[in-house]
Amino acid sequence: MILVNYAASFFLIALGLYCMAVKKNLIKILIGMGLCDYGTNLLVVSVGFNPGGTAPIFTAGEIHPGMFFVDPVPQALTLTSIVIGACTTAMVLGLIIRIKAKYGTLDSTEIRRLRG
Amino acid sequence: MNMEHYPILAIISLFLGAFLVALFGRLNKVLRNLIVAAAVTIPLCLMIALIAPVMIGGQVIGYWMGNWAPVGPWAIGIGLEVDALSLFFGLVVTIAVFVSGLYSFTYMNRDDSLENYYTLFLMLSGSLLGLVLTGDLFNIFVMIEIMTMTAVALTAFRVDYEGALEGALKYMVVGSIGSTSVLVGIAMLYSQLHTLNMAQIAAALPDHQNLVTVGAFAFLFLGFSTKAFLFPFHPLAADAHAVAPASISLMISGVITKCGVYGIIRLAYILYQNINEPAVSILITGFGAVSCFICVTMAFNQHDFKRLLAFHSISQVGYVITAVGLGTALGLSAGLYHAMNHTLFKGLLFLCAGAVQYATGSLDLGRLGGLAKKMPKTCALFLIGAASISGLPPFNGFFSKWMIYQASFEKGLDTGNFFYIVVCVVCLLSSVLTLASFVKVAQSVFFGQLQPQFENTKEVPLTMRIPMWILAVLCILTGVLPWEVLQKLVGPAAAAALNAAGYIQGMLGSGAAAGAGAQAAFSMEIGFWGPVSWLCLLLIVSCAVCLVAVLGTAEQKSPEERHEMDRRAGRTAAFTRDGFADAGRILKPAEKEGHYRNPVLSGTTLTFTGEKDPKYENFFSGEESEYSQVGGGDLFWGFKTNWRHYFQGMRRWHSGVINDYTRYGIVALAFVLLYACLFL
């Protein structure tokens, strides 16, 4: 049931945003960002789903009338989005390592030298 | 060579430059700089070469990557599409990139691992150019992500600079809300229309309005406004600007915010073509006006040169969004004109801040001072930039701001909606505050007392001043030749934004545009200043000012009058930090018994009979400003004291905690979604 996918994806996004807004530990904030990413990926890939469709690969000889594919474009988008998400995670982890070395803490309420 | 290859070549040259620098930059410094110089110059030349056919000829250049031409009405491949609007922003991007690259050669020469810097810088530039030239919605998302990633890395490039990592982390985490929103919006649009090509979406969307596309509008709008650092996201810009190298501050303020503006224009004018719906117009204008006002007041409290400029930057972007949201030809022209001007003058100001930092090593407004004697040329450049941003004639800010006031006021008169009049007054007020704020900056950096530790400051080298002069000359040129700019650059861009059918035809061929809205008639009615309406506005503002003045003095006078009466009656008064306290009142020991000599304690009452202690005199005492009756170095102490509750609230609000900023973002997202579902 595709509706479950949509509900799950928005639930994941909401959960991720909740983590980012409430959790004080930087690693948990990063996990929240990841959850947002996964929710979005699930949404994008669900958009291209056709019930009963086959994999979008042309193989001569296997094609017969009445056969149809799932939409390949969202799958490509999801792949791109996964790669971007991985980069984001790596980037934030790198920043967190440097911040831990410099500030000596991972508590987001103590990392606030820029304010006001 | 065929004209249609120019856009892709411009993007390729930047990305190719990035890879070449990564490969060979380590080997030879001169080679590296040559590659960078070539990579930033070629796109500028290509964009300038496109002015004649696109801006003046009115052509729309479509380019299908790999020659995947559309089949029937269906766009298969990824396309680049350059209409006058894209080219306008492309020009803004390439000019800023060119100047920033040129400036970096000298400005960054004290840092190491510069090949990384230039690689990231060129990737950032390439992504920005790709974002404004592409015709594919998902491409926009990819470019936004490259832009965010490289901008974050560059923000933290000087890792040991105080707060650099923190600013970068905030930018990344809170900015990811925007990226997620954009992708969710794209997915929702795709689920309805099954295409990612913007021309095809624009052709199909007006017939497919439902709750999902409205939700997609909300997500996309919020995503782009995150990238433009509009109102609830403005703390990110301040943090990122303050710690980034000045050449990157120029890119963030001059170009990245413009890409957000471009996205919003594309979204509301071309894709949805719903800018004429009052609800959309009010949403966009409201976001703009709030950013405009809050950021200009936030700038008053800043002690860091670049952080102050950052808040002004968002305030000016607020102007642009305000004007764009009006939806009229005049409003859009004003917005585009101001967007271009903002890139020029704010870039100039950031480069001046960078020059000050380069020469003195400090950006602290409290410590700097009197640099006009040591750096007269930088000072002159700064004054040009400050006059431009404050909207003094004949610099460029004057003309575009004038157009914004006129556009918002006319919109208010046309629609009879009081909201636009309020917006107009907010814009005027913000402009006054901008001027006031820059008077303060000029005073505390370039004039006033020269601190002894800056006695040996030298003027920055010519190679840094040339890029600044390029921007300064452009500031003056666009200020004294407004009609030329309007006709050659801004007018065609605004006409292209209002002409969705032309955009669709340019990409998919004629006939595809059947579903699009009728071509909006664009007339150059700019220049009709409507003296009567201006007089009305002036009267309204004068009345408001008088009202404030009368009410304000009533409050202000009373303690002084009381003191005067006390003096006449032979009583003595204690002079405390908060003003004149009543004589005979019980004073706490903390209330500075030293302010007056000879304290006499009779019973519980402490009175002072002697002369005023010279130690506590205004200005000359040499005391910490904390103990002075007026804030010593602060020109606008009175203003800030009257507004202290507002400022305290704002200071609490900009707490610097990532979670708080994320919360503001989520609230904004929820608000936009709710608003869109209710009113669109």
Side-chain angles (χ1 to χ4, degrees), chain B residues 316 345 385-392 397-398 401 405 431 434-436 438:
Chain B
Q316 302 299 318
F345 57 62
S388 299
I389 194 176
S390 316
L392 299 184
F398 168 73
K401 280 189 183 176
Y405 308 146
S431 186
T434 307
L435 178 63
F438 273 92

Side-chain angles (χ1 to χ4, degrees), chain B residues 496-567:
Chain B
L498 290 167
N499 181 6
Y503 184 80
I504 298 162
Q505 276 170 12
M507 208 58 182
L508 301 173
S510 56
Q519 178 179 346
F522 180 78
S523 55
M524 290 291 283
E525 61 194 34
I526 309 145
F528 169 64
W529 298 117
V532 178
S533 49
W534 271 100
L535 193 63
C536 292
L537 180 67
L538 192 66
L539 284 177
I540 293 170
V541 174
S542 313
C543 288
V545 169
C546 287
L547 201 66
V548 170
V550 168
L551 293 178
T553 39
E555 274 171 40
Q556 285 295 301
K557 239 181 208 167
S558 52
E560 287 171 21
E561 279 171 352
R562 229 180 317 145
H563 171 68
E564 191 61 24
M565 286 189 305
D566 286 347
R567 201 182 55 77

Side-chain angles (χ1 to χ4, degrees), chain B residues 142-156:
Chain B
V142 174
M143 293 300 175
I144 281 182
E145 283 293 341
I146 300 175
M147 174 185 101
T148 313
M149 212 81 76
T150 47
V152 166
L154 285 168
T155 302

Side-chain angles (χ1 to χ4, degrees), chain B residues 160-189:
Chain B
D160 294 324
Y161 193 82
E162 175 75 30
L165 293 164
E166 192 190 328
L169 183 76
K170 284 177 193 167
Y171 186 6
M172 190 83 216
V173 172
V174 187
S176 75
I177 297 177
S179 312
T180 307
S181 301
V182 171
L183 189 54
V184 170
I186 290 172
M188 286 165 84
L189 267 187

Side-chain angles (χ1 to χ4, degrees), chain B residues 411-672:
Chain B
K411 175 92 177 178
L413 286 186
D414 289 347
T415 58
N417 195 337
F418 190 66
F419 171 77
Y420 295 106
I421 308 290
V422 174
V423 164
C424 184
V425 173
V426 166
C427 287
L428 277 169
L429 196 64
S430 306
S431 186
V432 173
L433 292 175
T434 307
L435 178 63
S437 182
F438 273 92
V439 169
K440 177 191 157 186
V441 178
Q443 183 250 3
S444 50
V445 175
F446 290 103
F447 304 108
Q449 196 80 37
L450 181 67
Q451 299 287 323
Q453 70 259 39
F454 300 128
E455 206 54 62
N456 296 324
T457 307
K458 287 193 191 62
E459 181 66 88
V460 290
L462 183 68
T463 44
M464 268 169 93
R465 291 205 310 273
I466 287 173
M468 286 150 81
W469 270 116
I470 294 175
L471 289 176
V473 167
L474 284 174
C475 273
I476 297 171
L477 274 183
T478 51
V480 296
L481 299 171
W483 303 111
E484 304 290 317
V485 177
L486 276 176
Q487 275 163 14
K488 301 252 162 59
L489 295 175
V490 175
L498 290 167
N499 181 6
Y503 184 80
I504 298 162
Q505 276 170 12
M507 208 58 182
L508 301 173
S510 56
Q519 178 179 346
F522 180 78
S523 55
M524 290 291 283
E525 61 194 34
I526 309 145
F528 169 64
W529 298 117
V532 178
S533 49
W534 271 100
L535 193 63
C536 292
L537 180 67
L538 192 66
L539 284 177
I540 293 170
V541 174
S542 313
C543 288
V545 169
C546 287
L547 201 66
V548 170
V550 168
L551 293 178
T553 39
E555 274 171 40
Q556 285 295 301
K557 239 181 208 167
S558 52
E560 287 171 21
E561 279 171 352
R562 229 180 317 145
H563 171 68
E564 191 61 24
M565 286 189 305
D566 286 347
R567 201 182 55 77
R568 288 208 192 108
R571 278 182 282 169
T572 50
F575 195 46
T576 66
R577 213 183 149 198
D578 297 327
F580 299 92
D582 286 320
R585 190 161 64 87
I586 301 165
L587 292 171
K588 282 170 273 172
E591 282 188 286
K592 311 284 184 295
E593 45 222 61
H595 278 188
Y596 284 80
R597 283 173 181 164
N598 307 336
V600 178
L601 187 68
S602 58
T604 55
T605 316
L606 185 69
T607 50
F608 304 105
T609 52
E611 303 256 308
K612 228 174 126 182
D613 193 330
K615 192 174 149 193
Y616 292 98
E617 277 186 6
N618 307 353
F619 303 118
F620 306 112
S621 57
E623 287 287 320
E624 291 287 325
S625 59
E626 185 127 346
Y627 301 112
S628 167
Q629 293 114 3
V630 299
D634 199 339
L635 272 181
F636 297 108
W637 178 81
F639 169 74
K640 278 160 75 170
T641 312
N642 284 343
W643 282 45
R644 62 187 176 279
H645 299 297
Y646 171 80
F647 281 128
Q648 275 162 8
M650 276 292 148
R651 190 178 278 263
R652 251 195 316 280
W653 205 63
H654 294 77
S655 59
V657 181
I658 294 182
N659 304 98
D660 288 348
Y661 294 164
T662 316
R663 256 174 239 149
Y664 305 152
I666 293 169
V667 169
L669 178 61
F671 169 77
V672 174

Side-chain angles (χ1 to χ4, degrees), chain A residues 115-116, chain B residues 229 231 233-239 241-242 253 291-318 342 346 350 389 434 437-438 650 654 661:
Chain A
R115 62 169 184 264
Chain B
F229 299 114
F231 159 58
F233 296 102
H234 61 275
L236 305 182
D239 293 350
H241 279 299
S253 120
S291 323
C292 185
F293 184 74
I294 287 192
C295 292
V296 80
T297 52
M298 277 309 292
F300 266 91
N301 259 348
Q302 304 307 319
H303 304 290
D304 185 289
F305 195 174
K306 274 169 66 188
R307 199 172 162 81
L308 183 145
L309 289 180
F311 276 115
H312 277 297
S313 172
I314 306 310
S315 170
Q316 302 299 318
V317 173
H342 172 245
K346 185 56 65 152
F350 271 118
I389 194 176
T434 307
S437 182
F438 273 92
M650 276 292 148
H654 294 77
Y661 294 164

